[in-house]
Amino acid sequence: MKFKQSDAQNQRIQQITTAHLVIGIDMAKETHVAQATNFRGIVVSKRHLSFSNSIEGFEKLNRWMTELLQKHRLKRLIIGMEPTGHYWFNLANWLSDKGIHVVMVNPATTKRNKENRDNSPSKNDPKDALTIADSVSRGFYYEYTRQSLVFQRLKTIMSDREFWVTCSVRLQNRIVRWLDIRFPEYPSVFKDWTCKRSMATLKTFPCPQDLENYIVHDVIDAWRVHMQRVGGSTGFEKAAQLIARAKCSVGEQAAAEEAKADLRRLIEEFERVTTMLEQIERDIEVLLSEIPMAQQLRTIKGLGKIFTAAILAGTGDLRQYAHGRQVMRKAGLNLAESSSGRRKGQIVLSKRGDSALRKYLYLATVQLVWNNPVFRHLHEHNVQEKKMKKQQSIFKLIGKLARILVGIVQRGEKFTPEKTVLTWSEAA
């Protein structure tokens, strides 16, 4: 079954009938603005409605919509809103729980259509609400589907992990900067500054001048406070290298006490965040065990728990997709081209979608090219036989991965390398 965006839009337009009241809502932190039209986009309310982001405001919106339905003898209701930030969550869920049809309008659609009605670049909340309602009446929307609890939990925990991973990276960059200033020779001793010996060193004598009066056995004894296995030939060799590099260091020595206090706080925070991330990954493992389709996806060699969790957090239940192209579009990985007449525009990614899903689909595909024989073979074929650039091949394989994910979930199968290679051979 092929998925065509034009067909989907036509279906959405047909859903809007003469019996529909179309509501567009412009979302904000404290006060939302709603505007109402009929199926043709003609305004049916005397003025817009402003209501607060509270239960009283939501009830006010509900009464307003009910009055309009009765006044204009309309029987059906569809509400459109932009998924901007996080302000829309509560209202969308409240309306959805009441059985009201809620849809989403891409902010890019609103931005480009705001001049259609009055040929003016002006922008305000009532106009934005009207533009959203107009977009809905013409089928430029997508359905809001509230995911089941397990997928909501997965999305929440992956969002939490993303935040703490970002914090961890910032801390690591800050520590590396500290070492570049205070002890630039340090990486020649410890290539990985997060290893146990390195962490013990940074906690005990981070500055080169701290090692002025130390000998190898002193360094070994100091390491024993923070770790168990410190001796051996490697330990003595590292200690000797550390002392030698410290003696000839060109690192900054001014404000040493303040600098060491700064490093101590950075290391404490880095270790705290690292422990937190380890616990989050254990929680993700437990949560994935509650999702049968996650076990199907993990039969793909090289698709680890984090990639599986990130993909499911971004897509939700994969059974709701008819084709992998829908996943690609949701991630903003569908292709866009600007051509006219004889001019052939460059084909680029639209990037109109979930950026986190887009990132993890890309990283997962790169990982599969490295670790999965099937994807490695497909990549080599694209590069060597079809003469594709490596990056072009990766993006083509993302589409392959999306189709595989949807396919194995829809059919309730495990990943079968032979079937994948056969499908590829026929397509080639």
Side-chain angles (χ1 to χ4, degrees), residues 279-412:
Q279 180 59 51
I280 289 175
E281 292 196 10
R282 289 192 291 269
D283 294 341
I284 290 172
E285 186 73 46
V286 172
L287 194 53
L288 287 178
S289 65
E290 301 176 16
I291 306 176
M293 71 177 63
Q295 311 311 314
Q296 292 177 260
L297 301 189
R298 295 188 68 178
T299 59
I300 304 175
K301 182 181 177 182
L303 195 67
K305 63 183 177 184
I306 297 301
F307 289 129
T308 302
I311 291 171
L312 290 178
T315 60
D317 193 339
L318 283 169
R319 291 172 296 186
Q320 66 185 321
Y321 298 93
H323 196 280
R325 280 192 290 271
Q326 290 172 290
V327 174
M328 298 286 283
R329 184 172 290 275
K330 184 175 180 63
L333 286 167
N334 54 308
L335 299 179
E337 179 184 359
S338 177
S339 299
S340 178
R342 295 181 179 180
R343 182 179 65 84
K344 181 70 173 178
Q346 183 179 4
I347 298 176
V348 297
L349 296 177
S350 71
K351 294 187 179 180
R352 298 284 173 79
D354 188 329
S355 59
L357 176 60
R358 183 163 64 248
K359 179 182 79 171
Y360 279 103
L361 281 172
Y362 174 82
L363 293 176
T365 304
V366 172
Q367 185 79 359
L368 290 172
V369 168
W370 279 98
N371 298 315
N372 190 297
V374 174
F375 279 83
R376 187 186 309 120
H377 181 59
L378 292 173
H379 181 63
E380 291 173 352
H381 176 81
N382 288 339
V383 173
Q384 297 172 7
E385 300 296 328
K386 295 188 175 182
K387 305 302 179 184
M388 290 184 184
K389 294 180 179 179
K390 292 183 178 180
Q391 195 76 331
Q392 184 182 5
S393 173
I394 292 294
F395 281 103
K396 185 175 181 63
L397 291 177
I398 293 176
K400 181 72 172 179
L401 175 61
R403 293 192 295 275
I404 290 173
L405 296 176
V406 173
I408 62 178
V409 169
Q410 290 284 11
R411 291 190 288 270

Side-chain angles (χ1 to χ4, degrees), residues 16-31:
I16 309 297
T17 66
T18 56
H20 266 97
L21 175 67
V22 182
I23 304 293
I25 302 178
D26 182 67
M27 312 303 298
K29 180 178 177 65
E30 298 179 353
T31 304

